[in-house]
Amino acid sequence: MMMGRIKPTDGTAGNPEFNAELVAEKIEAITSPPPAPDTSEPDAAASQPAAPQTAAPPAQTVAQPAPVTPPIVSEPPAPQQAAAAPQPAVDESALRYFASRGDKVRLQAEISRLQALYPNWVPPADPLAVPQNGDKQLEAMWQLYSDGRYAELRKAVADRQAADAGWQPPADLLDRLDVAEGRARLVNASDLKQYATVVDIAAATPSLLTCSEIDVLWRVAEAFIQTERAQRGQDAYTYILKNCTNPAERQATVEKASTLLAYQPMQALLALERPAADGSKEFDAIRDNLARRFMAEGDDEPNLAIAPDYIARLEKLAETQGLASDALLLGWYQLRRNNDADAEKWFRAARAKQDSAAASQGLALALIARKAPEEAEDVMFRWRADSDDATSTYLAATANLMALQPPADLAEDVLHRIAGEVIARKYVPTAQQFGWYARSLNQFQTAARWFETALAWKPDDEPSAYGLVITREQLSDRKGVLDLQRAWAGRSSRITNLEDTSSLMPNAVTPPPAKGTLAAQQPAQPTQHPPAEPLPAERRVILQPGSEVVVRAARPSMETVNVPRGPRQTRGCSTTIDAGQLKPADALSRGWCLMDINRPMEAISAFESALQSPSRKVREDAAYGQSLAYLRAGLSGNAAVAATKAPQNRQRAAELQVAILADRALSAFDAGRYRETLIYLDQRAQLQQERIDLMVLRGYCYLNLKMYGDATRIFEAAAATGSRDAARGLADVRNVTHPDVND
């Protein structure tokens, strides 16, 4: 294909004297106010029409210089095809039209497009100097194209051809129209999740695959990934980061890719990061969110090793910001790698911030791993019915608790609630352990009923059958013993060859079970003989340490229950969609979803669509959400504007004002405007009590303004709360005011 032969070119490579900005200014001067349209018919003698270019809507932002169309949807041609045919004449009709209309955006895009297609073409120093013709009908057709009224343009072309058989529309206009309609079809297919169609349209319309059509590139990358061609999707993102220069679009590209690509491909994309003008890294603003994303992937894949930098970053975030979600990510990551102590630490931190089912489940699993099932059962009891995973974790804790040796001294209410859950869930492992627990307390009738119940739920549970046969032997139930031996003949040698156990006394004890792994069982049959009374209701028998007869009966292996986490659920807003096509209420929901997965730039657009709702409540929520999205993106000025788009209640208005003032204070401090920072801090302090971190910021403002007494006073007050930053500030003041003492 042609795109495989063309090399990327700079926007002015063909003419060193051409200055796009100067031409744009000249156009603006000439066309303000715009003159009457005066365009000529595009060159009809061109030997070959220019390659199509996407029609961008009038409100489109300034397009980036269009490098060569990437070989995203097709392989490049073989090297021997590199010899180019004689260069065809260049159709400059679109260039003349955009110049005459004063459309600087499309003028620059058209120049970039023609340079990419025709490397030897030299743009005119002044596009307005190109002779114009007076074809008013063609002028109207170009206007329809600019307005995106493609169906009307098709009709206008057909009507003129019907009226004038000798007239032919410019090839460039028709090619551009084909591309614009292709883009509309591609966007529609993407919104409908018809990903194979997206790829087909992109392959048929390669002119869409340029930096000026960044949304199309995003959609094509997503389509590849959704059709199980992740490498091609990665290639599309790589093309953007190698060729496109718009900072916001590059950052959004990484954010979108992080929701669709795995950890390793994302590292290859991040390697294309460019240094920022201030010496920082290009994607520092989203690196915290990337760390969260990568750690979440590590939670799901135990064999995935996340770089220590990301782990350290998330640990710092968890400690400084105190979000329960960050602590949960760290807890699950460590638990899946059998770092039980670290996992317990982070789950406890998450639970201290917000007691949730996920935090409690993680903590319970960590406690089970370190053989503390009693606390695990207590932690999970509240959340036992929250989900299937939570139920499995709770039942695992009960099985391990009842298997402890020596038996745990459990309160009556704990035993009652465990027994009730086991019977309700027909959970065999804990029912079996209740049998052994009752035997250890010399409650043989109760033990027999629990073993019988476990067998009723799972008739092939050999450990329960063995427990029942030795218990019946001790109760002198010879018929019951023989029935079991016949039933298990050929399946269990220790049951069929049971030795004489007549010497087993009521005070017999059993040794602790072996450890291993016990899988949670689902009952095969409903219970036919449930216990007449749950074990906790019976009187517990205390074994005397001086018992004369102690016979140690062989025990089945009881192994630690390991309950894996369920799979992560795909978020409903992880894929690309045009929020403008959604209903306002749906756009509002999508905006909050995008905020949850830290994609504020896309959330802004979703909330903007929701602002069109006739419902006052929806508009209020949308304005509030858009303000928060702008704040998260570091655009406090835009946040203030967004807050005025719909009336807010007093609480929300105050909350937004506090956040905006804090953000402005931080921005002013970073810019070295310390007096301005103090003004913002004073305004914020009138609305809400000053946080410790902002007190430290105030102290450093005073320090930089050489107001050492005020700085010392602020740092001392903050340091009294235990703030390390404040203590460091005091040291900085001493270093400035008493350098000799510090030396």
Side-chain angles (χ1 to χ4, degrees):
M1 294 177 64
M2 180 181 295
M3 62 182 178
R5 303 195 300 269
I6 302 175
K7 305 296 181 184
T9 59
D10 182 60
T12 60
N15 185 359
E17 299 178 357
F18 178 76
N19 188 322
E21 292 295 330
L22 185 60
V23 171
E25 292 175 3
K26 184 174 181 181
I27 291 171
E28 185 173 13
I30 294 174
T31 59
S32 180
D38 183 19
T39 59
S40 61
E41 182 176 351
D43 298 334
S47 60
Q48 180 175 332
Q53 171 70 16
T54 299
Q60 169 182 324
T61 58
V62 177
Q64 300 299 325
V68 61
T69 302
I72 295 175
V73 294
S74 64
E75 298 297 332
Q80 59 268 24
Q81 296 176 350
Q87 188 70 34
V90 178
D91 186 349
E92 297 179 350
S93 59
L95 190 69
R96 293 196 301 270
Y97 173 76
F98 295 138
S100 68
R101 300 299 296 172
D103 192 337
K104 295 181 291 183
V105 174
R106 286 203 175 88
L107 174 66
Q108 180 59 51
E110 177 66 6
I111 290 171
S112 300
R113 184 184 75 88
L114 292 175
Q115 286 181 324
L117 291 172
Y118 310 106
N120 297 325
W121 175 74
V122 178
D126 184 0
L128 291 176
V130 179
Q132 303 292 314
N133 294 322
D135 191 334
K136 300 300 182 182
Q137 287 182 285
L138 183 59
E139 170 81 12
M141 292 179 189
W142 279 110
Q143 185 62 49
L144 291 172
Y145 168 79
S146 295
D147 294 342
R149 295 153 63 186
Y150 307 130
E152 296 178 44
L153 174 55
R154 288 282 186 195
K155 183 177 184 302
V157 170
D159 290 346
R160 181 165 180 179
Q161 286 181 314
D164 183 359
W167 179 83
Q168 291 296 326
D172 187 47
L173 177 62
L174 294 181
D175 290 342
R176 284 172 166 274
L177 181 57
D178 290 340
V179 171
E181 291 174 334
R183 183 186 188 281
R185 293 195 304 273
L186 186 147
V187 170
N188 183 63
S190 176
D191 290 343
L192 295 175
K193 304 187 186 308
Q194 297 171 353
Y195 298 114
T197 303
V198 172
V199 175
D200 291 341
I201 296 173
T205 321
S207 297
L208 287 173
L209 305 178
T210 64
C211 292
S212 61
E213 292 288 352
I214 194 72
D215 181 64
V216 170
L217 289 174
W218 287 338
R219 292 173 183 271
V220 171
E222 178 187 352
F224 275 127
I225 295 170
Q226 296 293 349
T227 53
E228 299 182 356
R229 288 175 282 182
Q231 182 58 53
R232 304 302 299 277
Q234 181 183 344
D235 292 342
Y237 290 128
T238 300
Y239 169 81
I240 296 173
L241 296 179
K242 283 185 175 180
N243 295 279
C244 306
T245 58
N246 184 289
E249 292 175 350
R250 290 172 60 82
Q251 178 173 311
T253 296
V254 173
E255 289 181 323
K256 288 175 176 292
S258 69
T259 65
L260 296 170
L261 290 178
Y263 172 75
Q264 293 298 345
M266 280 303 302
Q267 303 316 300
L269 292 183
L270 291 172
L272 302 175
E273 184 176 27
R274 298 174 180 175
D278 59 359
S280 62
K281 292 186 176 181
E282 181 181 13
F283 302 134
D284 278 350
I286 60 173
R287 207 168 297 278
D288 290 346
N289 294 335
L290 291 176
R292 293 183 174 106
R293 159 73 179 83
F294 297 150
M295 289 295 289
E297 185 176 347
D299 291 353
D300 291 336
E301 299 182 21
N303 296 325
L304 178 61
I306 304 298
D309 288 348
Y310 292 120
I311 300 175
R313 177 178 287 270
L314 192 58
E315 288 178 345
K316 183 177 180 181
L317 287 173
E319 292 169 352
T320 56
Q321 297 185 5
L323 295 178
S325 57
D326 290 340
L328 274 177
L329 287 173
L330 289 163
W332 286 117
Y333 183 83
Q334 299 295 352
L335 185 68
R336 295 298 297 272
R337 285 148 186 82
N338 299 319
N339 300 325
D340 302 323
D342 290 338
E344 181 178 345
K345 165 191 168 184
W346 289 113
F347 283 130
R348 287 191 184 279
R351 202 163 179 262
K353 293 292 181 181
Q354 181 182 359
D355 186 7
S356 63
S360 298
Q361 181 183 351
L363 178 57
L365 291 172
L367 291 168
I368 291 173
R370 75 167 176 88
K371 299 178 176 58
E374 186 170 2
E375 184 181 356
E377 186 275 337
D378 183 64
V379 164
M380 277 305 297
F381 180 73
R382 172 187 172 187
W383 303 101
R384 66 194 183 279
D386 185 78
S387 65
D388 290 343
D389 279 352
T391 300
S392 297
T393 302
Y394 175 74
L395 293 174
T398 64
N400 284 274
L401 174 57
M402 301 307 298
L404 285 178
Q405 289 295 322
D409 186 11
L410 302 176
E412 294 291 324
D413 60 330
V414 174
L415 287 168
H416 269 294
R417 75 187 188 191
I418 293 175
E421 287 298 318
V422 169
I423 294 172
R425 309 283 181 182
K426 297 181 174 62
Y427 189 64
V428 173
T430 305
Q432 178 200 134
Q433 287 306 313
F434 259 123
W436 295 112
Y437 186 82
R439 280 182 54 81
S440 69
L441 301 175
N442 297 330
Q443 299 172 358
F444 298 106
Q445 292 287 355
T446 299
R449 289 198 295 272
W450 276 111
F451 287 132
E452 289 168 354
T453 300
L455 283 171
W457 295 338
K458 190 173 186 295
D460 61 346
D461 187 44
E462 194 271 351
S464 295
Y466 179 73
L468 180 58
V469 74
I470 63 173
T471 302
R472 285 179 175 176
E473 180 70 19
Q474 288 181 277
L475 293 172
S476 301
D477 183 2
R478 294 302 303 166
K479 181 180 182 301
V481 171
L482 292 174
D483 289 342
L484 279 170
Q485 288 179 323
R486 283 194 294 269
W488 286 87
R491 291 192 290 165
S492 173
S493 58
R494 64 174 179 172
I495 293 177
T496 55
N497 300 327
L498 185 68
E499 298 179 357
D500 182 14
T501 57
S502 59
S503 60
L504 290 173
M505 301 298 291
N507 61 348
V509 296
T510 50
K515 292 294 181 181
T517 306
L518 177 65
Q521 303 286 344
Q522 283 295 332
Q525 301 289 339
T527 180
Q528 298 176 1
H529 304 287
E533 293 288 341
L535 175 61
E538 298 196 13
R539 181 182 180 84
R540 298 183 62 188
V541 180
I542 307 300
L543 297 178
Q544 298 298 326
S547 301
E548 295 182 358
V549 181
V550 178
V551 178
R552 298 187 178 273
R555 287 284 302 276
S557 61
M558 174 59 196
E559 304 168 330
T560 304
V561 177
N562 184 17
V563 181
R565 291 184 66 200
R568 294 173 61 84
Q569 299 297 319
T570 303
R571 298 301 303 265
C573 57
S574 62
T575 57
T576 301
I577 190 172
D578 185 2
Q581 298 183 1
L582 299 176
K583 295 180 181 178
D586 295 336
L588 178 64
S589 299
R590 178 173 176 80
W592 289 120
C593 179
L594 289 166
M595 289 290 285
D596 287 343
I597 61 176
N598 291 297
R599 286 161 60 180
M601 299 305 294
E602 294 180 74
I604 290 170
S605 299
F607 287 129
E608 186 66 32
S609 297
L611 282 168
Q612 309 307 313
S613 172
S615 168
R616 177 177 177 177
K617 181 65 170 61
V618 172
R619 293 197 305 273
E620 177 182 334
D621 290 345
Y624 177 69
Q626 193 176 62
S627 297
L628 295 180
Y630 275 123
L631 283 172
R632 188 173 296 182
L635 303 172
S636 56
N638 300 73
V641 173
T644 65
K645 292 183 178 180
Q648 301 292 324
N649 60 46
R650 181 173 301 177
Q651 179 181 353
R652 279 186 173 179
E655 176 186 343
L656 288 174
Q657 187 67 11
V658 165
I660 291 169
L661 289 171
D663 189 79
R664 288 177 172 174
L666 291 170
S667 299
F669 183 88
D670 291 339
R673 303 193 300 271
Y674 304 114
R675 294 189 184 278
E676 184 180 339
T677 303
L678 291 172
I679 292 174
Y680 287 132
L681 290 176
D682 289 339
Q683 292 175 350
R684 184 190 179 282
Q686 294 176 5
L687 299 174
Q688 188 181 85
Q689 183 178 356
E690 201 160 77
R691 304 194 310 257
I692 298 300
D693 58 334
L694 294 180
M695 289 179 64
V696 173
L697 188 70
R698 180 186 292 273
Y700 274 105
C701 286
Y702 288 137
L703 177 59
N704 284 287
L705 294 171
K706 300 183 179 180
M707 302 168 64
Y708 302 125
D710 292 332
T712 301
R713 174 176 55 82
I714 294 296
F715 284 136
E716 285 178 346
T721 66
S723 170
R724 294 183 178 180
D725 292 334
R728 190 178 300 111
L730 280 174
D732 291 340
V733 173
R734 287 194 294 269
N735 289 336
V736 174
T737 57
H738 301 87
D740 296 336
V741 174
N742 288 291
D743 289 341

